Amino acid sequence: MDQADTLRHFFARQESRNHLERCIEEVRDSIRDGNFTLLNYQLNELEKAQLDFESFEE
């Protein structure tokens, strides 16, 4: 892996982590506000974001 590939990987991983954190915050907000209509969708998005983030750990 050259330096450019390493940087691309680093930034992709960081973006994946940011997306995961946004999903977690959205789920927390929905639970706190009692907005359960979107919760199922948000939990599915959270699961996808978690799997995407974990793919960078391998």
Side-chain angles (χ1 to χ4, degrees), residues 5-45:
D5 286 337
T6 302
L7 285 172
R8 277 191 284 278
H9 179 78
F10 173 78
F11 285 115
R13 184 177 185 272
Q14 186 62 39
E15 181 59 33
S16 178
R17 180 179 176 174
N18 291 342
H19 183 241
L20 177 61
E21 290 172 350
R22 283 192 306 271
C23 287
I24 291 169
E25 192 61 35
E26 287 176 2
V27 168
R28 285 180 183 158
D29 289 346
S30 290
I31 291 171
R32 184 186 63 238
D33 298 341
N35 185 3
F36 300 111
T37 56
L38 290 176
L39 192 57
N40 191 41
Y41 169 77
Q42 289 170 332
L43 288 172
N44 286 334
E45 287 298 308

